[in-house]
Amino acid sequence: MPLLRDPTRSRGRLAVARTRIVRVVVRWRAGPAWKSGSPEQQTGWDEHAAFIDDLIERGIFVMGGPFADYSGSHTLLENVSEEEARELVLQDPFVATGVFELDDVRAWNVYVDKLARPQ
């Protein structure tokens, strides 16, 4: 059975799912200081990792990591608004060192999340 099909509606039309949570998607591009290789090989990795660990402990950082070609990265945040997320991520030490440049910050209405813990 399709995930968005509403069994209470006739003819199997898709129903609009209710948003369970609003998350924020952050897209990064490699900055001028990005060296060839993985994030762990970049200047300021330990400081960046500590920053991310803090966001995880605070229940803000959900998921993130570099693109396979290391041209940038995506970050998924929750429990913050789009504006709060923008201010917060600009505090990442990788921004100050020029490893990352902020590309985009957008609120995202999540309709389907197979990774979420059952409530």
Side-chain angles (χ1 to χ4, degrees), residues 69-89:
D69 66 358
Y70 298 128
S71 64
S73 180
H74 257 163
T75 301
L76 187 61
L77 306 175
E78 65 185 12
N79 300 317
V80 292
S81 70
E82 186 175 331
E83 296 78 25
E84 291 168 324
R86 184 180 308 278
E87 290 176 18
L88 186 62
V89 299

Side-chain angles (χ1 to χ4, degrees), residues 12-29:
R13 287 180 277 171
L14 293 180
V16 175
R18 295 190 186 270
T19 303
R20 290 191 302 147
I21 191 163
V22 176
R23 292 198 170 125
V24 178
V25 177
V26 180
R27 188 173 60 222
W28 301 96
R29 62 181 168 266

